[in-house]
């Protein structure tokens, strides 16, 4: 997997798909800096570190709703499209779909497969029946009833604001366990693209909305459920643990995530 840049436009090349980042509204973080200053009543409107502080300190992150990233998805399956379209605070969706257009290929699941040959044959048979309907004169909207969920869609475009990406899309699809394999791969590509523009901002979102934050929530849940006293916690500490930070020890002891699936 790699990022290719052509005339300033970046494309993430996945194993069976690609994503082009066609727009990123605030690459230098200047608009976020101005809005952060207005929000906090500050005069230094060019302080580009302030938006990061808003995330870290838990202030209302509304300023991030005004900035957008636009992605163009190529050879992405219907399954992944359905997962992305669930985010109702996305700004824009442009997709020809399978009402006027048709699909020509499919992708196999990236999750654990018991029998690769059986899965391939089943999906291939479904794709073949879909093509038979088209060849026999059925309209694309009728034929799509037989189209497998693994079918690759024609190029489509989604535009997300920064807040939806950080709080929902990345959090639910790559930072928490349980997302389906192909969706994880595509959303990871989206993450790689935005991270390549502003690593400080997106690392901050990861720290406070991503896996570390999710693990900390899990620590609190387990401690609360077990009703642990300070004495009980101290009795769990072994000699080898004394060199660790307390946060690292708590996450290692109680922070392991489990998929709900």
């Amino acid at each position: 997997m790699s990022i290719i840049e052509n005339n300033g436009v970046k494309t993430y090349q996945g194993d069976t798909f690609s994503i082009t980042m066609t727009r990123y509204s605030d690459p230098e973080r200047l608009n976020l800096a101005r809005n952060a200053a207005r929000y906090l009543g500050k005069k230094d409107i060019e302080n580009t570190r302030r938006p990061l502080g808003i995330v870290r300190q838990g202030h209302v992150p509304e300023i991030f709703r005004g900035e957008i990233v636009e992605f163009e998805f190529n050879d992405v399956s219907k399954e992944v499209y359905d997962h992305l379209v669930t985010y109702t605070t996305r700004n824009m969706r442009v997709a020809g779909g399978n009402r006027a257009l048709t699909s020509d290929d499919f992708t196999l699941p990236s999750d654990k497969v018991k029998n690769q040959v059986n899965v391939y044959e089943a999906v291939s048979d479904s794709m073949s029946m879909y093509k038979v309907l088209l060849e026999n004169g059925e309209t694309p909207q009728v034929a799509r009833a037989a189209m497998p969920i693994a079918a690759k869609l024609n190029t489509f475009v989604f535009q997300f604001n920064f807040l939806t990406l950080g709080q929902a899309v990345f959090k639910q699809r790559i930072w928490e366990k349980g997302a389906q394999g192909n969706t994880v791969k595509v959303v990871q590509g989206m993450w790689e693209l935005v991270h390549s523009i502003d690593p400080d901002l997106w690392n901050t979102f990861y720290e406070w909305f991503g896996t570390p934050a999710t693990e900390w929530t899990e620590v609190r849940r387990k401690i609360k459920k077990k009703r642990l006293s300070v004495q009980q916690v101290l009795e769990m500490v072994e000699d080898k643990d004394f060199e660790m930070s307390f946060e690292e020890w708590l996450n290692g002891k109680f922070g392991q995530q489990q998929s709900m699936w």
Side-chain angles (χ1 to χ4, degrees), residues 16-18 73-85 93-99 101-107 127 130 144 147-158:
T16 60
F17 65 92
S18 66
F73 299 87
N74 302 287
D75 291 329
V76 169
S77 69
K78 177 69 163 59
E79 165 201 15
V80 177
Y81 171 91
D82 288 345
H83 288 156
L84 293 176
V85 82
R93 175 185 66 90
V94 176
N98 288 93
R99 181 178 179 87
L101 304 175
T102 60
S103 291
D104 301 316
D105 198 3
F106 63 87
T107 185
M127 194 74 181
Y130 163 66
R144 68 183 175 185
M147 187 184 78
I149 194 72
K152 291 181 177 181
L153 295 186
N154 289 272
T155 298
F156 61 92
V157 177
F158 277 147

Side-chain angles (χ1 to χ4, degrees), residues 93-149:
R93 175 185 66 90
V94 176
N98 288 93
R99 181 178 179 87
L101 304 175
T102 60
S103 291
D104 301 316
D105 198 3
F106 63 87
T107 185
L108 292 175
S110 299
D111 306 278
K112 185 177 180 180
V113 175
K114 294 181 179 179
N115 189 315
Q116 193 82 20
V117 173
N118 285 349
V119 172
Y120 176 84
E121 289 180 350
V123 178
S124 182
D125 287 348
S126 179
M127 194 74 181
S128 295
M129 293 309 300
Y130 163 66
K131 291 181 178 180
V132 166
L133 291 178
L134 290 172
E135 291 166 359
N136 288 334
E138 298 292 350
T139 61
Q141 56 264 43
V142 170
R144 68 183 175 185
M147 187 184 78
I149 194 72

Side-chain angles (χ1 to χ4, degrees), residues 207-225:
E207 180 69 23
W208 296 99
F209 291 102
T211 304
T214 302
E215 288 179 343
W216 193 249
T217 300
E218 186 66 17
V219 168
R220 181 174 180 269
R221 187 187 69 80
K222 287 179 180 174
I223 289 177
K224 189 176 183 67
K225 181 179 180 180

Side-chain angles (χ1 to χ4, degrees), residues 86-251:
T86 61
Y87 296 99
T88 55
T89 57
R90 69 187 186 282
N91 295 34
M92 182 185 75
R93 175 185 66 90
V94 176
N98 288 93
R99 181 178 179 87
L101 304 175
T102 60
S103 291
D104 301 316
D105 198 3
F106 63 87
T107 185
L108 292 175
S110 299
D111 306 278
K112 185 177 180 180
V113 175
K114 294 181 179 179
N115 189 315
Q116 193 82 20
V117 173
N118 285 349
V119 172
Y120 176 84
E121 289 180 350
V123 178
S124 182
D125 287 348
S126 179
M127 194 74 181
S128 295
M129 293 309 300
Y130 163 66
K131 291 181 178 180
V132 166
L133 291 178
L134 290 172
E135 291 166 359
N136 288 334
E138 298 292 350
T139 61
Q141 56 264 43
V142 170
R144 68 183 175 185
M147 187 184 78
I149 194 72
K152 291 181 177 181
L153 295 186
N154 289 272
T155 298
F156 61 92
V157 177
F158 277 147
Q159 186 184 95
F160 297 93
N161 66 63
F162 285 17
L163 189 59
T164 296
L165 287 173
Q167 278 192 334
V169 180
F170 296 150
K171 177 179 175 62
Q172 294 170 14
R173 301 301 178 179
I174 56 175
W175 296 339
E176 295 178 345
K177 292 185 177 181
Q180 293 189 6
N182 285 335
T183 301
V184 171
K185 291 195 298 185
V186 170
V187 176
Q188 182 66 37
M190 296 163 63
W191 159 260
E192 298 291 345
L193 286 167
V194 300
H195 189 268
S196 72
I197 298 292
D198 191 349
D200 284 347
L201 174 62
W202 295 103
N203 284 341
T204 302
F205 266 108
Y206 171 76
E207 180 69 23
W208 296 99
F209 291 102
T211 304
T214 302
E215 288 179 343
W216 193 249
T217 300
E218 186 66 17
V219 168
R220 181 174 180 269
R221 187 187 69 80
K222 287 179 180 174
I223 289 177
K224 189 176 183 67
K225 181 179 180 180
K226 294 176 182 292
R227 299 178 180 272
L228 292 174
S229 66
V230 173
Q231 180 176 343
Q232 287 173 310
V233 171
L234 289 175
E235 289 173 352
M236 296 178 187
V237 179
E238 303 176 24
D239 290 343
K240 62 181 178 63
D241 300 330
F242 284 107
E243 298 300 318
M244 302 171 63
S245 72
F246 189 42
E247 179 185 4
E248 183 183 0
W249 184 85
L250 283 171
N251 281 341

